[in-house]
Amino acid sequence: MRLRVEFTTEPFDLDEAPAHALVAREVVEAAELDAVDVGPFGNTAEGAAGAVLTAVDTLLRRSLQAGATRISLQVNVIGEGDR
């Protein structure tokens, strides 16, 4: 099974990326995922279910420790043709 996760961390700071956003980026970029798209208002990553779920667990734990006060995420099951 393949999964796609879309997430944002808050609070936002348009002048400088906050520590929790940098941590979230580090987590998804270091994970064994097939595709990662990091942007200022939302982030997307996809890959095998195990890799995505492990990354989400780490992302939640580390982002909260780094000061996130809210993390919004959506996880979708995707097929091979949904990329």
Side-chain angles (χ1 to χ4, degrees):
M1 177 186 323
R2 291 183 52 76
L3 300 176
R4 176 183 299 128
V5 61
E6 299 174 49
F7 65 92
T8 58
T9 61
E10 296 179 39
F12 293 114
D13 183 343
L14 295 178
D15 295 326
E16 183 176 336
H20 59 81
L22 297 175
V23 165
R25 177 183 293 177
E26 289 172 11
V27 169
V28 295
E29 288 179 342
E32 294 183 23
L33 302 172
D34 300 331
V36 174
D37 182 22
V38 177
F41 300 107
N43 309 285
T44 305
E46 64 182 61
V52 171
L53 294 174
T54 297
V56 166
D57 177 63
T58 303
L59 178 131
L60 291 171
R61 293 173 189 276
R62 292 196 49 213
S63 295
L64 290 169
Q65 289 173 347
T69 57
R70 178 179 174 142
I71 302 169
S72 301
L73 64 90
Q74 179 176 355
V75 178
N76 294 297
V77 175
I78 58 173
E80 292 300 319
D82 293 340
R83 288 186 184 197

